[in-house]
Amino acid sequence: MQKLAWERHGFRAANFAGTDSISRFGVAGTLDQIPAVSELPNNDAMQHLITTLQSAQAKLVADISMYDTMYTQNAQQYRELKMTVLAGKKALADFNANQLPALEAEAAASGDAMQAQVLKNFKSKLDRFAKRLDDLDRISVVTLQTAPQIKIIQNADQTIVDKIDTTISTTIPVWKSQMVIALGLSNQRKVLDLQNKADDVTNKLLARNAAALYKGAVDAEKANQCSVVEIDTLEKINAELIATLKETVQIQKEGEANREAAQVKMRQIESDLKNALLENAQQM
């Protein structure tokens, strides 16, 4: 044990004669023989973990800010689409009520084939205009559905940021103190492995969400270029969105119930440990 302390920590528990009695320390409960030792936590590894978590947290904070901008732009686009559709429908109604009857009457009165062609061209323009207004109206529905999607992803990122805050401010200090007093290197490795697995799950989740958003944006643009958005697609998106909202609420309720149950168990653990410590002190 002296060799370990000397090589790794730079001190030896011995006098000049090479021997030392445990009674010199004057600490009650100190053992005459040390059957096992536990290393202090590796500070470099711990600082590297903190730096990595902080870097990931900064990226998520930037994403959250980006989602705010996306949400604002999406809301502005929705309002502009609605205003455009309303103005277009008003203009279309005016064309049908005033200009179209006049052209029809003029074509019927003149009997001129070119005048009939003018009437036909005007009707074709009205039909294309009506189709364009319908496309814009459907896109406005997609824009409306995009708003809660942005907020769901943003809230998920904020939850991860809060979790990282908890890890840095609470979990890691607990690791340090527990390693110093009892856990040792093996328990440290288990905790670090668990944290790495959590990071892997988080990265995979963010990657899947990014891929899903990319696919949705591409599909929406393709639909816009084709000037058509199927009602079935809107219904499916709406159903999945509602299911997502319901499932999120259910998960939050289950998480709250689990935390409340954990609180009861932790109080029992503290009580059991306190009683054991008191009993041990009385026996000594």
Side-chain angles (χ1 to χ4, degrees):
M1 183 173 178
Q2 288 183 359
K3 182 175 183 295
L4 177 66
W6 173 255
E7 291 180 349
R8 298 196 180 185
H9 305 288
F11 64 87
R12 290 178 290 180
N15 57 22
F16 291 107
T19 61
D20 205 353
S21 173
I22 199 66
S23 62
R24 180 175 71 84
F25 295 98
V27 178
T30 303
L31 300 177
D32 292 333
Q33 294 183 351
I34 306 299
V37 295
S38 177
E39 292 188 64
L40 294 176
N42 188 316
N43 184 68
D44 291 339
M46 194 66 65
Q47 291 302 321
H48 177 71
L49 176 61
I50 294 175
T51 301
T52 302
L53 289 174
Q54 288 175 337
S55 176
Q57 184 184 42
K59 178 62 170 63
L60 289 178
V61 170
D63 288 345
I64 291 171
S65 177
M66 177 191 67
Y67 291 138
D68 282 332
T69 302
M70 286 178 58
Y71 186 84
T72 300
Q73 293 176 348
N74 185 75
Q76 179 64 26
Q77 183 183 17
Y78 174 75
R79 288 190 291 268
E80 290 176 355
L81 284 171
K82 281 299 183 183
M83 293 176 61
T84 300
V85 171
L86 289 176
K89 288 182 177 180
K90 183 178 179 180
L92 182 63
D94 180 70
F95 291 150
N96 287 323
N98 297 315
Q99 297 187 34
L100 181 59
L103 288 175
E104 288 176 340
E106 185 175 351
S110 64
D112 187 357
M114 290 304 298
Q115 190 62 37
Q117 184 62 43
V118 170
L119 176 61
K120 184 178 183 301
N121 292 341
F122 185 74
K123 287 184 177 181
S124 296
K125 290 180 180 179
L126 289 182
D127 182 68
R128 292 195 303 271
F129 186 48
K131 179 62 170 60
R132 183 59 176 168
L133 289 178
D134 181 72
D135 289 340
L136 292 177
D137 196 13
R138 291 168 186 255
I139 293 299
S140 71
V141 176
V142 175
T143 305
L144 178 62
Q145 292 175 333
T146 301
Q149 291 176 345
I150 293 174
K151 285 301 179 182
I152 288 173
I153 297 171
Q154 187 182 47
N155 290 336
D157 280 0
Q158 186 61 56
T159 299
I160 298 172
V161 169
D162 295 340
K163 178 63 176 177
I164 293 176
D165 279 335
T166 301
T167 300
I168 294 175
S169 64
T170 303
T171 304
I172 291 179
V174 168
W175 287 351
K176 290 181 178 180
S177 63
Q178 290 301 308
M179 284 188 166
V180 170
I181 63 177
L183 290 181
L185 185 59
S186 61
N187 287 343
Q188 179 195 26
R189 178 52 51 193
K190 292 178 182 179
V191 176
L192 291 177
D193 289 343
L194 180 61
Q195 182 65 54
N196 290 335
K197 289 179 182 179
D199 291 341
D200 290 340
V201 172
T202 300
N203 290 330
K204 291 178 181 178
L205 175 62
L206 293 176
R208 285 197 300 268
N209 287 343
L213 285 178
Y214 172 80
K215 186 177 184 301
V218 171
D219 291 342
E221 184 60 25
K222 288 181 179 179
N224 181 49
Q225 293 299 325
C226 293
S227 299
V228 61
V229 176
E230 297 294 339
I231 291 297
D232 291 342
T233 301
L234 298 179
E235 290 178 344
K236 180 178 179 182
I237 293 174
N238 210 46
E240 291 179 351
L241 179 58
I242 292 173
T244 299
L245 295 174
K246 290 182 178 179
E247 183 69 15
T248 301
V249 172
Q250 182 63 31
I251 291 174
Q252 290 174 350
K253 289 181 178 179
E254 292 176 357
E256 182 179 357
N258 290 336
R259 289 193 294 272
E260 291 177 355
Q263 287 292 325
V264 175
K265 291 182 179 180
M266 286 191 291
R267 299 294 81 77
Q268 183 62 44
I269 290 171
E270 290 176 349
S271 177
D272 292 344
L273 179 57
K274 179 180 178 182
N275 292 336
L277 292 173
L278 290 175
E279 181 180 353
N280 182 267
Q282 291 172 357
Q283 291 176 354
M284 292 178 58

